[in-house]
Amino acid sequence: MATGLTIGKLAEAAGVNIETVRYYQRMGLLDEPTKPSDGYRRYTHKQAQRLRFIKRAQGLGFTLSEIGSLLELENACLCANTRELAVRKRALIEQRMANLAVIHEALTGLIRQCDAGDGGDACPIIEVLAAA
């Protein structure tokens, strides 16, 4: 009897779909086991952990390329390098948050202009977006 997880069970254990597993294999983030004579590849629990790692890293905003780098650093035990990747990612997120705050304020101002209007004039939001 074969041991290990089928691709379906692996995907289920990590909370992804089968095509995601295959995509990560094509990207080189997850090893593909050899196909035995019974035709069903078997994945280890370690591979399920790796798959969950990838999903958690994506949730933190890391790209698949960056996740590949993290996985390489994991194998090399280079915590300082891993930390530097995290510092850079945090700085990028902080910049995005600042940009979103500017957008938020601009939209808030436009909404206030709409609320202050009498409904008869042209829409201030449309006017601003149409202005060249």
Side-chain angles (χ1 to χ4, degrees):
M1 179 171 187
T3 59
L5 304 168
T6 62
I7 193 169
K9 292 293 182 187
L10 174 72
E12 184 180 324
V16 300
N17 65 49
I18 292 170
E19 288 308 312
T20 301
V21 174
R22 290 185 177 129
Y23 181 70
Y24 292 163
Q25 289 171 335
R26 287 192 303 274
M27 296 292 295
L29 298 174
L30 189 67
D31 293 332
E32 183 176 12
T34 57
K35 191 171 185 178
S37 60
D38 71 0
Y40 296 101
R41 290 181 172 88
R42 299 293 175 165
Y43 296 83
T44 65
H45 289 283
K46 186 164 176 67
Q47 287 171 304
Q49 287 176 322
R50 185 175 197 138
L51 197 49
R52 285 190 291 271
F53 172 91
I54 294 167
K55 293 310 296 175
R56 283 193 295 265
Q58 280 184 307
L60 290 174
F62 288 98
T63 65
L64 291 180
S65 176
E66 291 168 332
I67 292 168
S69 296
L70 287 171
L71 290 168
E72 289 175 18
L73 292 171
E74 173 195 35
N75 294 334
C77 298
L78 298 171
C79 188
N81 296 46
T82 305
R83 181 187 182 283
E84 182 57 33
L85 277 174
V87 166
R88 281 186 274 162
K89 181 53 71 176
R90 184 182 63 189
L92 180 63
I93 290 169
E94 288 169 349
Q95 181 59 51
R96 286 180 185 163
M97 288 171 56
N99 293 342
L100 286 172
V102 169
I103 293 168
H104 180 270
E105 288 303 313
L107 287 172
T108 299
L110 289 172
I111 291 167
R112 283 190 190 122
Q113 287 180 15
C114 280
D115 292 344
D118 61 8
D121 296 333
C123 175
I125 296 173
I126 300 298
E127 285 183 345
V128 168
L129 295 175

